[in-house]
């Protein structure tokens, strides 16, 4: 159904828009950004996009859907709007032309995932930060395909190897899982995990490691959201196929001290399931923006023995944006990711269970949380002792 709507949207798009010499987006020196679209027959045009609208303060997780900001006609054919200033980062957006969502036709940068694609733009980081395009040694991003006997099909797998990767050495491995709206390539294409790793390695803030980014949708996502069997099937696929494939084809440390697993949102929940079901495999577990409302009941046996819990893990990391209310549901008393993780933090603290708890102020359920959680906190904490 989504594909049909998107196709009809493009039919409408071609019937209402006229190509002309224009540019969008326009990045100004003061950090402001101008968007424009030529649509002479359109009655109204909006600038939308979850992370951009969230950053600008127009919408929050847990609130009603927000169409976007109304664009104004700057002449007889062109709608435009200027927003900002924006900080250096990558932003996703789209246009809504007479209630039909479309990409920016003048922008070649498109982000794809398991949801509708978005246009994107980057305000470059000139301060040599972890997202900057720097003249440093670069690792290699491999696209692999493996056969899953769990879902009986070939599946994608993206693997980052550090600069100077040497098959004679053994490297620790981070398994990095995406969210429900993303796919296997998302942690590299929009999360920039490989860029982050290159820059942190150049600054000697992390140790050389392999980063594995699998497809967390063992069952393809549809309009109803995540299939309830997805996590169980993905766990089986991970243990039976993904981990053996990586360790048979790459030069890895094949023991728990050399393995870490982390993920965002859906991937954070999958990380919790896989990591705590297989504590013999991982010394480091990281949960980004996943509420884990059932953690205390599902893991009561682990929480009952704090001393053993602390011996089992070198790091249990929890990170979230302070205004993240994804998953809020008054009927089930689910209070959203930020509050649920705060409650988990307090429980762990009360029981004397070692963990790291990071809250990013005024950040929602977006890549503005997940990139820094990986770059500034989780990745530099791995394999330091």
């Amino acid at each position: 159904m989504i594909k049909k709507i998107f196709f009809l949207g493009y039919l409408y798009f071609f019937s209402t828009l006229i190509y002309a010499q224009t540019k969008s987006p326009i990045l100004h020196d003061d950090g402001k950004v101008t968007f424009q679209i030529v649509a002479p027959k359109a009655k109204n045009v909006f600038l939308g996009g979850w992370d951009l609208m969230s950053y600008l303060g127009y919408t929050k997780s847990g609130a009603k859907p927000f169409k976007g900001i109304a664009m104004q006609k700057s002449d007889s054919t062109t709608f435009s709007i200027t927003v900002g200033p924006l900080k250096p980062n990558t932003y996703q957006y789209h246009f809504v032309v007479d209630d039909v969502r479309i990409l920016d036709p003048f922008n070649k940068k498109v982000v794809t995932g398991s949801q509708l694609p978005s246009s994107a733009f980057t305000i470059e980081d000139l301060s040599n930060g972890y997202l900057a395009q720097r003249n440093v040694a670069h690792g290699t991003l491999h696209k692999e395909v493996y056969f899953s006997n769990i879902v009986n099909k070939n599946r994608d797998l993206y693997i980052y190897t550090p600069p100077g990767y040497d098959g004679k050495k053994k490297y620790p491995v981070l398994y990095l899982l995406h969210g429900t709206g993303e796919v296997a390539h998302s942690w590299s294409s929009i999360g920039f995990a490989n860029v982050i790793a290159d820059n942190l390695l150049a600054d000697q803030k992390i140790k050389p490691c392999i980063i594995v980014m699998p497809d967390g949708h063992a069952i393809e996502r549809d309009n109803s959201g995540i299939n309830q069997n997805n996590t169980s099937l993905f766990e089986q696929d991970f243990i039976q196929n993904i981990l053996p494939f990586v360790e048979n084809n790459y030069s890895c440390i094949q023991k728990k001290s050399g393995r870490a697993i982390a993920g965002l949102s859906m991937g954070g929940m999958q990380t919790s399931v896989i990591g705590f079901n297989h504590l013999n495999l991982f010394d480091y577990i990281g949960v980004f923006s996943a509420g884990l409302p059932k953690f205390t009941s599902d893991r009561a046996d682990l929480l009952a023995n704090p001393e053993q819990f602390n011996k089992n893990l070198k790091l249990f990391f929890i990170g979230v944006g302070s205004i993240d209310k994804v998953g809020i549901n008054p009927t089930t008393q689910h209070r959203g990711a930020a509050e649920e993780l705060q409650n988990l933090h307090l429980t762990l603290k009360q029981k004397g269970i070692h963990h790291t708890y990071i809250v990013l102020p005024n950040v929602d359920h977006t890549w503005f949380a997940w990139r820094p959680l990986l770059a500034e906190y989780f990745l530099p904490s791995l394999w330091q002792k």
Side-chain angles (χ1 to χ4, degrees):
M1 185 61 182
I2 288 179
K3 293 180 179 179
K4 182 178 180 181
I5 292 173
F6 200 61
F7 175 71
L8 292 174
Y10 265 93
L11 289 180
Y12 182 85
F13 162 78
F14 285 118
S15 71
T16 58
L17 272 61
I18 296 176
Y19 284 100
Q21 292 296 322
T22 191
K23 181 180 179 181
S24 181
I26 301 171
L27 309 184
H28 303 285
D29 292 340
D30 61 358
K32 292 183 178 180
V33 181
T34 298
F35 303 87
Q36 51 188 3
I37 184 170
V38 179
K41 295 183 180 180
K43 295 180 181 178
N44 54 70
V45 179
F46 291 83
L47 170 67
W50 164 239
D51 66 344
L52 179 59
M53 294 298 104
S54 174
Y55 179 87
L56 293 171
Y58 286 98
T59 188
K60 295 181 179 180
S61 57
K64 293 181 180 179
F66 180 72
K67 180 185 289 188
I69 314 170
M71 300 173 67
Q72 304 300 318
K73 267 195 172 182
S74 55
D75 56 40
S76 60
T77 63
T78 306
F79 287 80
S80 67
I81 190 172
T82 298
V83 302
L86 307 178
K87 293 181 180 180
N89 219 317
T90 294
Y91 299 81
Q92 300 177 65
Y93 70 99
H94 59 261
F95 296 135
V96 180
V97 181
D98 289 347
D99 296 326
V100 178
R101 171 178 167 152
I102 64 169
L103 299 174
D104 185 340
F106 301 105
N107 185 354
K108 296 180 181 179
K109 175 63 175 177
V110 176
V111 175
T112 59
S114 65
Q115 302 181 105
L116 292 175
S118 296
S119 297
F121 66 95
T122 298
I123 297 179
E124 296 294 342
D125 181 359
L126 302 180
S127 66
N128 285 337
Y130 60 82
L131 288 177
Q133 298 296 320
R134 297 163 57 185
N135 184 20
V136 299
H138 297 292
T140 302
L141 187 64
H142 311 258
K143 180 182 179 180
E144 300 279 10
V145 177
Y146 70 95
F147 182 79
S148 170
N149 61 343
I150 302 301
V151 294
N152 198 36
K153 63 180 180 180
N154 290 323
R155 287 170 51 74
D156 290 346
L157 191 64
Y158 287 78
I159 300 178
Y160 166 86
T161 51
Y165 171 78
D166 183 351
K168 296 180 181 179
K169 298 180 181 179
K170 298 295 183 182
Y171 295 85
V173 183
L174 166 60
Y175 293 87
L176 192 56
L177 313 183
H178 63 77
T180 184
E182 287 81 42
V183 290
H185 64 69
S186 296
W187 259 115
S188 55
S189 64
I190 192 62
F192 308 116
N194 53 316
V195 175
I196 289 170
D198 286 344
N199 287 334
L200 293 180
L201 280 167
D203 293 337
Q204 298 183 332
K205 292 182 178 180
I206 64 171
K207 293 187 176 181
C209 63
I210 296 169
I211 303 177
V212 178
M213 296 159 276
D215 180 359
H217 294 293
I219 299 175
E220 186 174 354
R221 184 178 185 269
D222 59 25
N223 293 343
S224 63
I226 309 170
N227 186 293
Q228 295 303 308
N229 295 323
N230 184 64
T231 296
S232 174
L233 289 173
F234 178 68
E235 179 184 11
Q236 295 175 58
D237 190 38
F238 185 95
I239 298 301
Q240 296 184 33
N241 295 307
I242 295 172
L243 192 146
F245 178 90
V246 172
E247 297 193 344
N248 287 334
N249 290 280
Y250 289 83
S251 188
C252 307
I253 298 174
Q254 298 187 19
K255 53 185 178 181
K256 75 189 303 284
S257 62
R259 299 192 194 100
I261 186 169
L264 69 92
S265 194
M266 176 189 77
M269 179 267 293
Q270 292 172 329
T271 290
S272 177
V273 171
I274 295 171
F276 285 101
N277 280 354
H278 304 276
L279 283 169
N280 62 311
L281 296 179
F282 303 99
D283 258 354
Y284 306 86
I285 295 176
V287 174
F288 307 167
S289 307
L292 307 185
K294 297 181 180 180
F295 187 89
T296 54
S297 58
D298 290 347
R299 304 297 175 183
D301 56 332
L302 296 177
L303 299 180
N305 191 341
E307 184 177 354
Q308 186 61 42
F309 189 108
N310 294 334
K311 287 181 179 179
N312 278 332
L313 285 176
K314 290 183 179 179
L315 175 65
F316 180 25
F317 179 92
I318 302 168
V320 68
S322 66
I323 58 174
D324 188 338
K325 293 187 178 181
V326 162
I328 190 168
N329 188 331
T331 302
T332 60
Q333 297 185 332
H334 191 316
R335 292 157 289 193
E339 188 173 348
E340 292 287 355
L341 288 179
Q342 180 185 43
N343 291 338
L344 176 58
H345 157 66
L346 294 174
T347 297
L348 297 175
K349 183 178 180 181
Q350 186 270 328
K351 291 181 176 293
I353 291 176
H354 301 162
H355 65 289
T356 298
Y357 174 59
I358 299 296
V359 179
L360 301 179
N362 202 36
V363 177
D364 210 323
H365 200 81
T366 70
W367 283 105
F368 303 136
W370 308 322
R371 297 186 197 109
L373 286 173
L374 176 70
E376 297 180 16
Y377 301 100
F378 187 71
L379 198 49
S381 299
L382 303 179
W383 305 300
Q384 295 302 321
K385 296 180 180 180

